[in-house]
Amino acid sequence: MIPSIHKRGSDTVGLIRYLYGPGTKEEHTDPHLVAAFDPLTPDPGRNRDATCRQLQRLLDQPVNVLPKGRRPAKHVWHLSVRASPEDPILSDADWAAIARRTVAATGIAPDGDERACRWAAVRHADDHIHIIATLVRDDGRRPRLHNEARRAQAEARRIEADYGLRCVASGDGTAAKRPTSAARHKAERLGQRAASQELLRAHVRRALAGAVDEAEFFDRLAAEGVRIDKRIAPSGDVLGYKVAIVGDRNKDNEPVWYAGSTLAPDLSLPRIRKRFTTVTDTGVRLTALDRSGASAPARARYAAAQPADTARATLTSGDERTAAAHLVGVGEVLDALAQTTDGPSRADLREATWHFERASRSHIRARNEEMYALRRAARQIVHSGTALGRGTDGTATALILNVVILAVIGAARWHAARGHAQQAEAAQQAADHLHTAYQAAAAEPLAALRAHGAHLPVTRRRRHTATVHVALPHLADRLQAEPGWDSLVMVLDQAEHAGYDTAALLAKAAAQRELGTAESASDVLVWRLHHLGFISPTPRRPRPEPSPAPNAAPVTGTVPRQEATRPHRR
């Protein structure tokens, strides 16, 4: 059950006419009163003799008896309470009880207070009610409404428990504001996939991913096709900014602007400035990686795997302020991947970023310098260009997604352990989409590795099998029984050809984290070996090849394209 407090207004009769009217799309059915401050309150929906103007005069009477100089400019309080789609349809009596509990909890009409504010609850749909109240009590004083939104949420949790309704995750005040129903309907009319403020929030986050200063941030935001209006001080300094969607205009044909702070609490210009770092280097200095011939997008993704894995470890057992910084950094890496990844993973990556932006915020103050490694990784990904989803690009995308999934799952557990219910739920939803994106990205490179591994000479396959039994005796039988066994054999063959001690490398990969809960331990080891192949010191002398063999691929995380369609012959 979700209570939403709307903006305060001054037009009581206008709101009443809307609540009793047909709605913007004829969605209002049988509008009627379910409860009010007085049982004799006129109901324009069920009483033909009652009018909206009569209800307005009754509600506004405490305001009108005040001298004009003491009347509040905006005296209309409006709250809607909506049930979840899976909840049963509640009766009018149930909604009446919920309305009374809500006005009591918020301070509009505390229990037993005969001089409280006047209010009425209107139902015009099965799943929600609207409560309208006057913000002047019968004794002429103002109500005490401090933190009424938080108190409404707390009461909603109790109502859910009492009525057996779906328990909605509790918030902590760090969530972005939900778009109003009017904003959602307007988005439909304009043909937008979401409300303007939601689209703008996504645009701002994409522009921010890895940006080193506000000049780059604003340049990238303009490149997104967004209107920008900066607030400039007399000194020439930028004090703030607001943005608008091209084509979204109000009734006066003016752009509908949103300040960064209204899009999300962490998107105000002062908060954004805290993320910036002076590090501008976009080069990747991994020797083994430079020798691999991988594309620039692939190199950037390989380089991002290490800071992403560090974030995963921090979220498991690290300092809280460092973990909060890593949440922000992981969000920027996801934003960078979503805007530079082509192919079948793209849609789910964008959905993952859409959900994870909620998980990147909490009241824990981030240690900003700890996010710089992840922000540099995001910058490298953005500036490296688009990964096309095949060859080394596809392999590198699958590898970074494999690492980021674990970081996002770690974020869900981190939030859950601290009671951040909304963030934990959002992180888990992001992880689900990332898992789907990973499966799409990994399908081609794993299939190529399996095909080549199955056609390796028998002597080499036996040697790698023996290596697995020596390095991982407790896992060897399971690994051999999995469909991914041939791809693991192929990666071990690549590592051996590059000169690595395959037994030591394999043992190191297995020791990173447990493998018992993995869907495919062999696939997990494939990506860990790829990762280690790029961060481990490169052997000075390649090990001698024990037997003649066709040219083996270097440790690049994929098989050359010409080999992918023509397997080795025995």
Side-chain angles (χ1 to χ4, degrees):
M1 182 159 288
I2 301 174
S4 300
I5 296 179
H6 304 268
K7 290 183 179 180
R8 297 181 183 183
S10 57
D11 185 7
T12 305
V13 73
L15 178 56
I16 293 173
R17 285 171 176 162
Y18 167 76
L19 297 179
Y20 279 95
T24 56
K25 291 188 174 182
E26 303 294 329
E27 69 272 23
H28 296 177
T29 58
D30 187 23
H32 59 280
L33 210 66
V34 293
F37 75 102
D38 185 339
L40 299 180
T41 299
D43 180 5
R46 295 284 176 86
N47 185 347
R48 293 183 179 181
D49 296 327
T51 66
C52 293
R53 183 64 72 177
Q54 286 177 325
L55 179 56
Q56 174 260 319
R57 283 196 293 267
L58 184 64
L59 292 175
D60 282 352
Q61 186 176 2
V63 177
N64 294 331
V65 298
L66 291 175
K68 288 187 177 181
R70 291 184 54 200
R71 297 175 187 176
K74 294 187 176 182
H75 64 274
V76 181
W77 187 85
H78 178 203
L79 176 142
S80 59
V81 185
R82 186 178 299 272
S84 298
E86 59 269 34
D87 287 339
I89 296 177
L90 300 174
S91 66
D92 281 354
D94 291 333
W95 279 117
I98 290 169
R100 293 188 184 96
R101 290 177 61 167
T102 301
V103 294
T106 54
I108 290 293
D111 289 333
D113 189 344
E114 296 182 355
R115 308 290 287 172
C117 297
R118 299 187 177 194
W119 60 275
V122 178
R123 183 182 188 182
H124 56 208
D126 288 337
D127 62 348
H128 70 279
I129 59 171
H130 291 262
I131 301 174
I132 179 174
T134 300
L135 293 180
V136 175
R137 293 163 46 89
D138 273 2
D139 56 13
R141 296 185 293 121
R142 305 287 179 86
R144 295 181 178 180
L145 298 179
H146 180 65
N147 280 334
E148 81 264 36
R150 186 171 297 178
R151 284 185 278 161
Q153 292 287 349
E155 186 62 27
R157 303 293 83 78
R158 291 188 283 268
I159 290 170
E160 290 162 353
D162 293 345
Y163 285 82
L165 306 176
R166 180 201 167 193
C167 184
V168 177
S170 299
D172 60 358
T174 62
K177 291 183 179 179
R178 294 174 180 269
T180 64
S181 57
R184 291 194 298 270
H185 293 151
K186 185 177 183 181
E188 292 178 12
R189 294 196 303 272
L190 294 175
Q192 298 174 179
R193 68 183 185 92
S196 291
Q197 67 194 83
E198 294 175 312
L199 296 178
L200 287 167
R201 187 162 60 243
H203 282 304
V204 171
R205 291 195 178 280
R206 283 197 293 268
L208 183 56
V212 295
D213 54 34
E214 61 189 83
E216 181 183 3
F217 164 64
F218 284 124
D219 285 345
R220 286 169 57 181
L221 190 55
E224 290 266 336
V226 173
R227 289 180 178 270
I228 307 170
D229 184 18
K230 302 176 187 177
R231 185 160 57 92
I232 310 294
S235 62
D237 296 331
V238 180
L239 300 178
Y241 75 101
K242 55 185 179 180
V243 289
I245 293 288
V246 174
D248 184 9
R249 295 181 173 271
N250 59 21
K251 61 182 180 181
D252 298 321
N253 201 33
E254 297 172 340
V256 179
W257 296 102
Y258 293 87
S261 57
T262 63
L263 296 177
D266 57 336
L267 295 183
S268 66
L269 190 56
R271 294 281 296 274
I272 285 175
R273 282 171 173 158
K274 290 181 179 180
R275 298 195 194 187
F276 292 143
T277 170
T278 57
V279 177
T280 58
D281 178 26
T282 60
V284 181
R285 294 193 179 94
L286 298 180
T287 305
L289 208 141
D290 289 339
R291 287 212 315 262
S292 70
S295 67
R299 290 199 302 273
R301 281 157 172 73
Y302 282 126
Q306 188 58 35
D309 193 53
T310 300
R312 175 205 59 78
T314 302
L315 289 164
T316 302
S317 58
D319 170 74
E320 282 205 337
R321 290 186 61 191
T322 300
H326 283 173
L327 288 173
V328 176
V330 168
E332 290 204 23
V333 169
L334 280 176
D335 281 318
L337 289 171
Q339 60 186 297
T340 60
T341 299
D342 204 357
S345 301
R346 185 182 185 92
D348 278 290
L349 260 172
R350 291 196 167 186
E351 287 296 320
T353 62
W354 190 272
H355 289 290
F356 193 77
E357 69 93 16
R358 178 68 187 102
S360 66
R361 293 191 299 274
S362 74
H363 282 300
I364 297 173
R365 183 177 297 179
R367 201 182 301 277
N368 293 308
E369 63 273 14
E370 297 292 344
M371 71 176 75
Y372 288 170
L374 284 161
R375 296 200 74 247
R376 282 195 294 268
R379 179 176 177 80
Q380 290 170 355
I381 291 170
V382 169
H383 285 271
S384 68
T386 301
L388 300 179
R390 56 181 182 270
T392 57
D393 284 5
T395 303
T397 298
L399 184 144
I400 185 60
L401 289 178
N402 183 268
V403 177
V404 170
I405 287 171
L406 295 176
V408 171
I409 291 174
R413 293 171 178 170
W414 186 86
H415 280 302
R418 286 153 184 80
H420 307 161
Q422 287 186 357
Q423 291 95 320
E425 182 179 339
Q428 187 55 57
Q429 290 173 320
D432 292 341
H433 283 288
L434 285 173
H435 184 68
T436 304
Y438 158 77
Q439 289 178 318
E444 181 181 323
L446 287 177
L449 287 169
R450 282 196 295 270
H452 283 74
H455 289 82
L456 283 175
V458 174
T459 54
R460 287 157 66 182
R461 288 178 59 84
R462 287 176 179 170
R463 186 168 65 253
H464 299 317
T465 300
T467 297
V468 174
H469 277 274
V470 169
L472 307 174
H474 59 296
L475 279 175
D477 291 339
R478 174 189 168 183
L479 292 171
Q480 283 186 266
E482 289 183 347
W485 168 251
D486 289 331
S487 58
L488 178 59
V489 168
M490 185 63 199
V491 173
L492 289 173
D493 195 70
Q494 292 176 329
E496 181 185 73
H497 185 75
Y500 286 97
D501 181 336
T502 53
L505 200 66
L506 186 59
K508 185 176 181 180
Q512 288 181 334
R513 290 176 297 280
E514 62 86 24
L515 290 164
T517 58
E519 294 179 11
S520 173
S522 52
D523 288 351
V524 171
L525 287 172
V526 163
W527 299 122
R528 290 185 189 176
L529 288 168
H530 278 316
H531 186 201
L532 288 173
F534 290 111
I535 65 172
S536 299
T538 306
R540 293 183 179 180
R541 294 182 181 177
R543 293 179 58 185
E545 179 61 42
S547 59
N551 293 333
V555 188
T556 63
T558 190
V559 178
R561 186 176 299 175
Q562 61 269 27
E563 293 184 351
T565 55
R566 189 178 61 208
H568 293 293
R569 295 185 179 180
R570 293 183 182 273

